[in-house]
Amino acid sequence: MDSPGYNCFVDKDKMNAAIQDLGPKELSWTELQELKQLAREGFWAQSHTLRGRVYQRLIRDIPCRTVTPDASVYSDIVGKIVGKHSSSSLPLPEFVDNTQVPSYCLNARGEGAVRKILLCIANQFPDISFCPALPAVVALLLHYSIDEAECFEKACRILACNDPSKKLIDQSFLAFESSCMTFGDLVNKYCQAAHKLMVAVSEDVLQVYSDWQRWLFGELPLNYFARVFDVFLVEGYKVLYRVALAILKFFHKVRAGQPLESDNVKQDIRMFVKDIAKTVSPEKLLEKAFAIRLFSRKEIHLLQMANEKALKQKGITVKQKRQFVHLAVHAENFRSEIVSVKEMRDIWSWVPERFALCQPLLLFSSLQHGYSLTRFFFQCEGHEPTLLLIRTTQKEVCGAYLSTDWSERNKFGGKLSFFGTGECFVFRLQPEVQRYEWVVIKHPELTKPTSFMSSETSTPSPLSHSVPSDPADRLSPFLAARHFNLPSKTESMFMAGGNDCLIIGGGGGQALYIDGDLNRGRTGHCDTFNNQPLCSENFHIAAVEAWGFQDPDTQ
């Protein structure tokens, strides 16, 4: 068998050791219709030549800006930009944020070529302000390109993609940071055990999650990263979330109950990813990734946009030092009749990332404002989201995170009606901690996306990725019930309130029911959250509190 046609940038010995080449295969046009399955199965993973051809074809088909730099542009500008400098001493563009170029199986010439290509990209894309993933992408593509110019053209086409439904690589700090927040939200919902560990061992869990792209673009060995990139080119950005979640699941499985190897969990995860071959094969990693039943692309887009909007409102559009999330609940000035500082910090770790940096603001206290539901609503209106806390006379503690302003209840003409979104959840703290999220999150089989949603397996309709002209102003709520074909309304009974009662969760029972005097309540299983009773099924209330989320800058 002939040896693979490696280019002059690849160390052949390293490459042969990293990815066994079983020779070229052909990929017929018919098979291209089944690219998603072929990519997941690794059809071209063990053929260097075929992988290069597939990358060329997939990247050529990316819809791009009218004027996108190609190989001829590289040939024209590289000499002027690089000059007489040694390629190994070339500085990296500022937008890579001091990210090192992963060598993978490149030789010294290849590593220098990556630097040259990055500098030429910076020259042609002055609008890129933050893109730490790019060195890894260019380094990978160089393994499968004929020369520097072809690699440059491939990277440029990925960066110049102008299809709003096909997000590929973050190119600004705002996009990068909102992706980190979105990943944190997904961990919170799909990797709760791992999230609990992260909260326990890290001062700032958001800082841990801000490293998620580095796990993929830098720490993963070449044979793993190339498999991820194969699927990424076919299916898009959502694949990256899937694989990073799978990595975190494996990390938790291996490290749960063991002392961390360092006092820095970020460093521990990086080391774990770098040595991931000791734990799981590329095939098992992808298998785990695609076993996670994630939200649709549309829902993830809405969550990403909500996080971007929150960052813009906070003025966070360029890189800056992030406040520790634990400090959002300050021990010295936090006072509650129901929960301790530690318990409030635990609750804070469950809330969506865009609110995690806010500080708790006491809106209502039954001991301060009286036992009146009318006063409760008056104090809470105008605040979104809110946190409801209840302590019973038996010293049980439970509550709910409520996504929507209580003033929404006034839109139904005095009729008791449900509203809210799938971000609502209920919980108990005493006698033991338990959180119950929207039933659809753990059981997506209950619903299928509506016609304007993109599904995981079907071809999107023309409306599936329509983006409003100003999404920040007309943003559809993340996990709004109207986005889903639910079997009945009982799966979307999030919150309701009237003169006589307040209800959280419905269908077959209520997660929480509180009377108008804030005196008595009851709890039971409900379809919306598929929860167990949050405390004694019939209880007397000792105290009720409602908390809002205050931006530190507005204090």
Side-chain angles (χ1 to χ4, degrees):
M1 183 185 294
D2 294 335
S3 61
Y6 297 139
N7 60 36
C8 62
F9 307 110
V10 172
D11 183 313
K12 296 180 181 180
D13 292 336
K14 286 184 180 178
M15 194 69 179
N16 286 329
I19 303 178
Q20 183 182 12
D21 195 291
L22 302 180
K25 295 180 183 177
E26 294 301 322
L27 188 63
S28 71
W29 175 251
T30 302
E31 287 168 331
L32 280 171
Q33 310 304 319
E34 306 157 9
L35 269 179
K36 179 188 286 188
Q37 194 62 33
L38 293 173
R40 293 186 182 188
E41 292 173 353
F43 182 81
W44 55 80
Q46 291 185 321
S47 171
H48 185 87
T49 302
L50 184 57
R51 179 176 264 154
R53 289 176 188 163
V54 172
Y55 281 6
Q56 184 77 4
R57 176 66 181 268
L58 292 175
I59 294 173
R60 187 191 70 193
D61 291 344
I62 293 174
C64 293
R65 305 170 192 169
T66 305
V67 180
T68 298
D70 58 15
S72 63
V73 171
Y74 183 81
S75 301
D76 290 341
I77 67 174
V78 63
K80 302 171 188 175
I81 292 173
V82 174
K84 297 180 180 180
H85 291 92
S86 166
S87 58
S88 61
S89 64
L90 288 172
L92 292 173
E94 286 189 15
F95 63 62
V96 306
D97 191 42
N98 298 316
T99 301
Q100 297 302 306
V101 176
S103 60
Y104 296 132
C105 295
L106 297 176
N107 55 29
R109 183 176 178 181
E111 291 181 34
V114 173
R115 290 176 174 270
K116 291 162 65 177
I117 294 167
L118 288 169
L119 284 173
C120 290
I121 290 173
N123 174 267
Q124 294 295 299
F125 290 84
D127 52 327
I128 298 180
S129 58
F130 195 84
C131 192
L134 195 57
V137 172
V138 172
L140 174 65
L141 291 174
L142 190 58
H143 289 73
Y144 298 96
S145 300
I146 295 172
D147 53 26
E148 294 173 20
E150 182 184 289
C151 180
F152 169 83
E153 181 173 322
K154 288 175 180 173
C156 287
R157 291 195 65 82
I158 290 172
L159 292 167
C161 175
N162 62 359
D163 182 349
S165 71
K166 196 168 185 177
K167 174 183 175 178
L168 292 176
I169 297 181
D170 296 325
Q171 299 175 39
S172 69
F173 183 73
L174 180 64
F176 173 83
E177 188 76 349
S178 62
S179 295
C180 294
M181 294 169 67
T182 301
F183 178 68
D185 286 324
L186 296 176
V187 174
N188 200 347
K189 295 190 180 299
Y190 292 100
C191 305
Q192 291 186 12
H195 181 65
K196 185 176 180 180
L197 174 65
M198 296 302 106
V199 171
V201 301
S202 60
E203 282 189 305
D204 182 2
V205 71
L206 297 181
Q207 286 286 10
V208 176
Y209 297 150
S210 71
D211 218 31
W212 78 278
Q213 288 196 22
R214 176 166 175 165
W215 307 342
L216 308 179
F217 297 98
E219 303 297 349
L220 270 182
L222 176 65
N223 55 328
Y224 288 75
F225 180 46
R227 288 294 306 276
V228 173
F229 201 78
D230 293 346
V231 189
F232 165 72
L233 283 179
V234 176
E235 300 190 39
Y237 199 92
K238 185 176 175 181
V239 168
L240 305 181
Y241 286 134
R242 286 188 174 282
V243 176
L245 289 170
I247 287 172
L248 201 57
K249 282 178 175 286
F250 279 116
F251 175 81
H252 174 260
K253 182 179 180 180
V254 171
R255 297 296 170 83
Q258 297 181 10
L260 296 177
E261 294 183 5
S262 74
D263 58 359
N264 185 335
V265 69
K266 280 179 68 171
Q267 198 61 37
D268 266 24
I269 297 176
R270 290 178 185 177
M271 291 163 53
F272 173 81
V273 177
K274 191 169 292 186
D275 297 329
I276 196 168
K278 297 177 181 178
T279 303
V280 62
S281 67
E283 292 74 23
K284 289 295 183 182
L285 179 63
L286 289 175
E287 184 181 309
K288 172 73 79 173
F290 288 103
I292 301 170
R293 304 286 298 274
L294 275 188
F295 301 125
S296 69
R297 290 181 182 86
K298 177 70 175 182
E299 285 301 319
I300 291 177
H301 170 74
L302 292 175
L303 177 56
Q304 180 95 11
M305 290 298 100
N307 285 331
E308 280 200 17
K309 182 177 180 181
L311 288 168
K312 287 178 181 177
Q313 290 173 340
K314 290 178 169 63
I316 302 175
T317 57
V318 296
K319 189 176 182 183
Q320 54 191 263
K321 186 172 177 63
R322 197 205 312 250
Q323 176 191 355
F324 282 168
V325 64
H326 273 193
L327 298 183
V329 183
H330 293 289
E332 62 272 14
N333 57 17
F334 176 76
R335 296 290 181 272
S336 169
E337 300 294 334
I338 298 178
V339 295
S340 66
V341 171
K342 181 186 180 304
E343 288 171 328
M344 192 58 135
R345 285 177 175 169
D346 287 343
I347 297 170
W348 232 243
S349 74
W350 298 336
V351 306
E353 294 286 7
R354 62 189 184 276
F355 301 115
L357 288 181
C358 295
Q359 294 175 357
L361 174 67
L362 183 62
L363 304 175
F364 173 86
S365 166
S366 56
L367 299 181
Q368 178 181 337
H369 298 102
Y371 290 78
S372 164
L373 187 58
T374 302
R375 184 64 184 271
F376 172 92
F377 288 138
F378 177 79
Q379 294 293 129
C380 291
E381 287 182 5
H383 294 270
E384 182 180 292
T386 55
L387 188 67
L388 171 67
L389 298 176
I390 299 168
R391 189 180 81 243
T392 73
T393 54
Q394 299 299 310
K395 297 185 179 180
E396 303 156 309
V397 176
C398 59
Y401 170 86
L402 304 168
S403 65
T404 307
D405 191 331
W406 277 109
S407 63
E408 285 287 308
R409 78 191 200 287
N410 298 321
K411 295 183 177 181
F412 305 106
K415 182 181 177 182
L416 189 67
S417 297
F418 283 92
F419 54 97
T421 73
E423 284 195 292
C424 294
F425 60 82
V426 295
F427 57 87
R428 65 169 175 260
L429 296 179
Q430 299 290 346
E432 72 275 342
V433 177
Q434 185 66 53
R435 172 174 49 141
Y436 299 96
E437 301 214 69
W438 186 27
V439 63
V440 169
I441 292 172
K442 287 191 175 180
H443 298 282
E445 67 275 8
L446 292 174
T447 175
K448 291 183 179 180
T450 56
S451 59
F452 68 89
M453 301 286 292
S454 88
S455 72
E456 193 68 26
T457 56
S458 63
T459 301
S461 74
L463 296 178
S464 64
H465 291 291
S466 58
V467 179
S469 58
D470 188 352
D473 289 339
R474 292 188 292 278
L475 190 62
S476 182
F478 173 56
L479 296 188
R482 66 176 180 274
H483 297 172
F484 300 84
N485 282 330
L486 296 169
S488 67
K489 290 184 178 180
T490 63
E491 285 81 13
S492 60
M493 293 180 170
F494 301 113
M495 50 192 292
N499 295 331
D500 300 326
C501 66
L502 174 156
I503 299 173
I504 311 298
Q510 293 143 354
L512 278 172
Y513 172 97
I514 300 175
D515 68 16
D517 296 323
L518 303 186
N519 180 31
R520 296 174 180 269
R522 61 177 180 265
T523 177
H525 172 272
C526 76
D527 293 343
T528 305
F529 300 110
N530 192 30
N531 61 287
Q532 295 299 312
L534 303 179
C535 58
S536 301
E537 294 194 21
N538 292 283
F539 58 87
H540 285 81
I541 295 171
V544 176
E545 291 177 350
W547 292 82
F549 294 74
Q550 183 177 34
D551 193 315
D553 296 335
T554 63
Q555 286 188 307

